[in-house]
C-alpha cells in the first residue's frame, strides 16, 4: 500500500509508540517525521509539509488532547487532516477531541493495514478540503492528470490535453486530445499568448513552478489559470477556472458562517488569482493572525461568549484593514486564525507595520454580555516568492506564525530570507521622522469637544497626524512611539505643542470662545523648568492662557506623582486648566486624583465603547463620573460614536464629550464650519 505522492511526508506525534508507528509508515512507503514530545509541535508539523498529522493519544490522553489543540488551527489553515489514535477506554473523550479540532480518529486495538487505510482516508480528506490544490498521486500509472490538465514535451509541436480540457477548448472527438502548439496559441487572446510564453520561458529557465492566466475561449467572462511544473516526461499544466472579479471581490465569494468574513476556500482562490496575475514584486503579502488565549476564554466564559468575542475580533480586524476585495482581503482561515492578504503594491515593511497595529487593536478589551474580555494576538508575515501557490504561501505564513508564538522578542514574526532587512522598518520611520520635523510635515487637526446639555461645540483637542508617503496617515500613538525610540520625543512634543497653540491663536473670530486642549508627555513632566518654558511659549503665540487645557495621561502621572503634582500646580497658577487623559487605562487611584490640582477628567474611549454593553459597564462609568463630580471635576467622555452612548452618558451626569458622533479630527477651516452650523 503506497501513500499519496510516493514517499510523501507523514507527521507523527506519539508519546508512547513513536518507533512502532514510524516503522509501519516506512513499510508503507511514507516518509515519517516523528516526535515523542509535543515541544514546538506546530512548527515541526508545518515544516514537515505533511497533509496528515497523527496524534497518538493511546496511554497519554491529556498530552494528546493538548497536542490536538496546538495543531488544530495550523492544520485547518493548511487544509491538513488531524488523525487521533485512542485507547478503547478513552472513547468518551471523542467529543472533546472533535471540539478541539481533530478530523479523524481510530480506536485501538487496530491492525497495521487498518491504520494505513485510516491515514489514506485522512489524506483524501485533506486533498478535498484543499480544493484540489494538495498533492496528488503523480507517481503511479494512470493518475498523472487532473480533469483539466495538459502536457507538453519541450521541442514538440503538439500539446496533449485531458478530455475535459479538450472539450473546453472546443475539440471534437474526431480531433482527439492533441492540438498543435500553434493552433492552441491562436485560441488565446493577445495578453494570454504573451503571458503563456513568459511563463514557459520562466519555467524552462529556472525549473521553478510558475503560472499564467487568460480569458476562457468558451467565453462567459471566466478566466483560466494554469499552474506549470516540470516532470520527468515534460511540462505539465494544471488548469483552474477563475470566476470573474466584481468590484466587491470574487464573483461568488464564500463566507465564514460565524464572522461573515471570507472563508478559507475563498481566500485561497483569491490568493491564487493574485499570484497568477503576478503584478508587482512581491505579488502578494500574507499576514496570518492568531488570537491568543482563545481556549481559555471558551473555558472561562463558555463557547457562546467565545464565539461572540471571535466575531468582534473579526469585525475589528476588518474595520482596521478596510478590505476592498481587490487589493486587500480579510478572511477567517481557521478556528481563531485570520488571514490579512495584501496584493501588489505591498511590501514586507508595510505588512510588518500593519501587523503591529493589528496586535495593538486586538489587545484592546472586548465586551460580551457581562464579560470584559482581554485578548492577545500573534502574527506571522510572509511575501510571495517564485513558484508559490496559495497552499505553499499559507504554509510559510503558518511557519512564521508558529515562530511568533514561540518567540519572546515580540508578537510579530516576518519570515523571509531577507527578514533581517525588514527589522529596519523602525530605523526607516525614525529617519523619516527627523525629516518630517525639519520640513514641518506634522499636521495638526482638532477634534471638537461638545457640551452634552446644549449640543454646542465648546472646545477642541489638538491631535498630531503624520501623512507618511509610504505608510499613509499615522496617528499620534505611532508618531510618539517612533519619537520615543529615536530620542526625538522632546523635540516632537515641543513641535506639536507650539504648532497647535499657534494654529489656535490664528483661529477666526467664530472660534474665539473655544477652549483648546493640548497634550504633554511623561517625558515633559520630568524635564527641568518645563512649566516656565511652556508658559513662555504660550505667551509668545498670543493664545489666551485661560482658554488652554493641558492634558496628561494617567500613566504619565504614575511615573512620578510628586513631580507631576508640582508641574500641574505651576501651570495652573499661570491660568491654565489641567486634565487627566485616558482615565481608566492605568491604575485609576482616587488618592492621587485627590492630591493633584485638576479641572477635568477624560474617560477613556474603551470605557465609553462598553457603556451600552451591560448594566455592569454602566455602573463602572457611573462610578467614575460620581467620583469626579465629588472632587469638583468636569467629565469629558472620549470616543462617543452613537446616540445611545451619548444618552447613557447624559443620564449618568457626564457634561462633555468628543468623538465621531460629532466629528472626527478636522482642520481649522472645517472646525469653523461645524461651529457656525
Amino acid at each position: 500500500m503506497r501513500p499519496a505522492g510516493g514517499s510523501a511526508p507523514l507527521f507523527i506525534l506519539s508519546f508512547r509508540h513513536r518507533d512502532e508507528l514510524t516503522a509501519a509508515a516506512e513499510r508503507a512507503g511514507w516518509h515519517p517525521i516523528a516526535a515523542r514530545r509535543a515541544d514546538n509541535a506546530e512548527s515541526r508539523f508545518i515544516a514537515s509539509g505533511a497533509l496528515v498529522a497523527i496524534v497518538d493519544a493511546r496511554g497519554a490522553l491529556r498530552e494528546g488532547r493538548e497536542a490536538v489543540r496546538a495543531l488544530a488551527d495550523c492544520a485547518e489553515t493548511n487544509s491538513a487532516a488531524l488523525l487521533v489514535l485512542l485507547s478503547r477506554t478513552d472513547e468518551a473523550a471523542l467529543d472533546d477531541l472533535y471540539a478541539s479540532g481533530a478530523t479523524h480518529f481510530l480506536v485501538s486495538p487496530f491492525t497495521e493495514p487498518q491504520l494505513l487505510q485510516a491515514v489514506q482516508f485522512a489524506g483524501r480528506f485533506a486533498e478535498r478540503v484543499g480544493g484540489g490544490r494538495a498533492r496528488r498521486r503523480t507517481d503511479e500509472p494512470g493518475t498523472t492528470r487532473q480533469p483539466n490538465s495538459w502536457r507538453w514535451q519541450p521541442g514538440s509541436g503538439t500539446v496533449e490535453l485531458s478530455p475535459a480540457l479538450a472539450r473546453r477548448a472546443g475539440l471534437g472527438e474526431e480531433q482527439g486530445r492533441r492540438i498543435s502548439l500553434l493552433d492552441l496559441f491562436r485560441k488565446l487572446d493577445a495578453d494570454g499568448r504573451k503571458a503563456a510564453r513568459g511563463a514557459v520561458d520562466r519555467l524552462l529557465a529556472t525549473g521553478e513552478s510558475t503560472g499564467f492566466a487568460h480569458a476562457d475561449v468558451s467565453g462567459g467572462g471566466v478566466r483560466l489559470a494554469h499552474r506549470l511544473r516540470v516532470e520527468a516526461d515534460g511540462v505539465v499544466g494544471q488548469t483552474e477556472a477563475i470566476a470573474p472579479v466584481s468590484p466587491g471581490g470574487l464573483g461568488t465569494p464564500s463566507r465564514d458562517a460565524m464572522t461573515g468574513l471570507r472563508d478559507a476556500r475563498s481566500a485561497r482562490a483569491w490568493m491564487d488569482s493574485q499570484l497568477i496575475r503576478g503584478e508587482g514584486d512581491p505579488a502578494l503579502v500574507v499576514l496570518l493572525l492568531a488570537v491568543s488565549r482563545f481556549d481559555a476564554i471558551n473555558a472561562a466564559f463558555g463557547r457562546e461568549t467565545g464565539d461572540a468575542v471571535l466575531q468582534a475580533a473579526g469585525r475589528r480586524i476588518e474595520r482596521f484593514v478596510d478590505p476592498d476585495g481587490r487589493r486587500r482581503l480579510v478572511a477567517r482561515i481557521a478556528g481563531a486564525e485570520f488571514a490579512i492578504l495584501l496584493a501588489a503594491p505591498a511590501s514586507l515593511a508595510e505588512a510588518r507595520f500593519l501587523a503591529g497595529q493589528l496586535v495593538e487593536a486586538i489587545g484592546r478589551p472586548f465586551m460580551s454580555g457581562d464579560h470584559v474580555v482581554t485578548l492577545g494576538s500573534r502574527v506571522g508575515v510572509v511575501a510571495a516568492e517564485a513558484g508559490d501557490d496559495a497552499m505553499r504561501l499559507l504554509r510559510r505564513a503558518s511557519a512564521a506564525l508558529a515562530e511568533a508564538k514561540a518567540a519572546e522578542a515580540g508578537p510579530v514574526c516576518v519570515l523571509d530570507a531577507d527578514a533581517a532587512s525588514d527589522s529596519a522598518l523602525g530605523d526607516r520611520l525614525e529617519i523619516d521622522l527627523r525629516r518630517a520635523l525639519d520640513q514641518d510635515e506634522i499636521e495638526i487637526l482638532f477634534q471638537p469637544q461638545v457640551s452634552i446639555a446644549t449640543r454646542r461645540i465648546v472646545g477642541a483637542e489638538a491631535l498630531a497626524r503624520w501623512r507618511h508617503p509610504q505608510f499613509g496617515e499615522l496617528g499620534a500613538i505611532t508618531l510618539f512611539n517612533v519619537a520615543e525610540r529615536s530620542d526625538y520625543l522632546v523635540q516632537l512634543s515641543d513641535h506639536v505643542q507650539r504648532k497647535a497653540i499657534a494654529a489656535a491663536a490664528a483661529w477666526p473670530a467664530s472660534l474665539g470662545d473655544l477652549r483648546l486642549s493640548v497634550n504633554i508627555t511623561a517625558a515633559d513632566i520630568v524635564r527641568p523648568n518645563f512649566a516656565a518654558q511652556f508658559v513662555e511659549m504660550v505667551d509668545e503665540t498670543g493664545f489666551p492662557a485661560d482658554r488652554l487645557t493641558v492634558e496628561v495621561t494617567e500613566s504619565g502621572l504614575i511615573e512620578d506623582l510628586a513631580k507631576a503634582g508640582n508641574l500641574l500646580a505651576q501651570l495652573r497658577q499661570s491660568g491654565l486648566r489641567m486634565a487627566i487623559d485616558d482615565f481608566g487605562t492605568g491604575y485609576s487611584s482616587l488618592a492621587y486624583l485627590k492630591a493633584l490640582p485638576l479641572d477635568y477628567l477624560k474617560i477613556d474611549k474603551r470605557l465609553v465603547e462598553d457603556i451600552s454593553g451591560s448594566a455592569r459597564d454602566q455602573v463602572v462609568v457611573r462610578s467614575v463620573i460620581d467620583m469626579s463630580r465629588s472632587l469638583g471635576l468636569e467629565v469629558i467622555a472620549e470616543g462617543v460614536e452613537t446616540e445611545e452612548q451619548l444618552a447613557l452618558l447624559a443620564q449618568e451626569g457626564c457634561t462633555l464629550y468628543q468623538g465621531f458622533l460629532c466629528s472626527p479630527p478636522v482642520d481649522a477651516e472645517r472646525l469653523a464650519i461645524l461651529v457656525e452650523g
Side-chain angles (χ1 to χ4, degrees), residues 542-564:
F543 189 81
D546 61 359
R547 285 172 47 206
L548 184 62
T549 299
V550 172
E551 298 185 3
V552 58
T553 61
E554 187 180 344
S555 58
L557 295 170
I558 286 294
E559 288 185 9
D560 195 324
L561 184 58
K563 285 188 177 180

Side-chain angles (χ1 to χ4, degrees), residues 132 136 138 144-154 159-166 184 196 199-200 203 209-212 214 224-231 233-241 276:
R136 303 294 184 179
T138 57
T144 57
R145 295 169 182 80
Q146 294 183 323
N148 286 299
S149 62
W150 52 267
R151 181 179 296 275
W152 172 67
Q153 180 66 46
V159 179
E160 180 185 359
L161 309 181
S162 68
L165 192 57
L184 183 61
V200 171
L203 183 73
S209 298
T210 186
F212 70 96
H214 62 86
L224 293 184
H226 302 262
R227 298 301 302 179
L228 281 60
R229 69 178 186 275
V230 176
E231 292 192 353
D233 54 349
V235 173
V236 173
Q238 297 174 349
T239 306
E240 177 185 6
I276 288 168

Side-chain angles (χ1 to χ4, degrees), residues 426-488:
D427 295 336
R428 162 73 190 277
L429 288 175
E430 291 171 18
I431 293 169
D432 289 349
L433 175 59
R434 294 167 195 157
R435 187 204 67 239
L437 288 171
D438 291 340
Q439 300 180 10
D440 194 23
E441 295 176 357
I442 307 299
E443 181 181 1
I444 303 297
L445 300 178
F446 302 96
Q447 185 164 42
Q449 296 176 334
V450 185
S451 166
I452 293 179
T454 65
R455 292 295 185 103
R456 290 181 57 249
I457 296 174
V458 296
E461 180 183 3
L463 299 169
R465 292 291 184 271
W466 181 16
R467 299 192 186 278
H468 192 280
Q470 180 177 354
F471 303 119
E473 184 176 290
L474 305 180
I477 294 176
T478 301
L479 186 56
F480 278 85
N481 284 342
V482 172
E484 188 171 15
R485 290 199 305 268
S486 62
D487 294 328
Y488 267 66

Side-chain angles (χ1 to χ4, degrees), residues 277-516:
R277 287 192 185 95
E279 299 173 358
D281 184 18
L284 186 63
V285 179
V286 176
L287 294 81
L288 195 58
L289 182 149
V291 175
S292 306
R293 302 190 296 275
F294 189 65
D295 286 342
I297 300 302
N298 278 334
F301 302 115
R303 187 165 294 276
E304 183 176 349
T305 294
D307 289 349
V309 170
L310 200 63
Q311 291 166 356
R315 289 193 298 270
R316 190 172 289 181
I317 293 169
E318 190 173 32
R319 284 198 305 270
F320 199 89
V321 175
D322 191 23
D324 57 12
R326 286 185 177 274
R327 295 300 180 189
R328 290 189 169 199
L329 185 137
V330 176
R332 182 187 177 213
I333 299 294
E337 290 186 2
F338 297 87
I340 298 92
L341 311 175
L342 309 178
S347 67
L348 278 173
E350 177 187 358
R352 175 66 177 83
F353 183 74
L354 176 60
Q357 293 184 307
L358 286 170
V359 169
E360 182 180 342
I362 294 297
R364 297 197 298 268
F366 291 86
M367 285 303 305
S368 179
D370 294 336
H371 306 299
V372 180
V373 178
T374 302
L375 299 175
S377 60
R378 299 278 175 161
V379 185
V381 182
V382 293
E385 299 175 354
D388 272 342
D389 58 13
M391 293 302 296
R392 188 179 303 176
L393 190 52
L394 277 174
R395 185 172 289 276
R396 290 200 293 110
S398 294
L401 177 59
E403 286 200 19
K405 291 178 179 179
E408 297 180 359
V412 178
C413 174
V414 179
L415 191 64
D416 183 76
D418 300 320
S421 64
D422 183 64
S423 65
L425 172 61
D427 295 336
R428 162 73 190 277
L429 288 175
E430 291 171 18
I431 293 169
D432 289 349
L433 175 59
R434 294 167 195 157
R435 187 204 67 239
L437 288 171
D438 291 340
Q439 300 180 10
D440 194 23
E441 295 176 357
I442 307 299
E443 181 181 1
I444 303 297
L445 300 178
F446 302 96
Q447 185 164 42
Q449 296 176 334
V450 185
S451 166
I452 293 179
T454 65
R455 292 295 185 103
R456 290 181 57 249
I457 296 174
V458 296
E461 180 183 3
L463 299 169
R465 292 291 184 271
W466 181 16
R467 299 192 186 278
H468 192 280
Q470 180 177 354
F471 303 119
E473 184 176 290
L474 305 180
I477 294 176
T478 301
L479 186 56
F480 278 85
N481 284 342
V482 172
E484 188 171 15
R485 290 199 305 268
S486 62
D487 294 328
Y488 267 66
L489 186 57
V490 170
Q491 292 90 327
L492 177 64
S493 185
D494 279 345
H495 180 89
V496 170
Q497 291 160 3
R498 181 177 293 275
K499 188 170 184 177
I501 297 171
W507 278 347
S510 59
L511 303 181
D513 294 331
L514 295 193
R515 296 197 61 80
L516 174 69

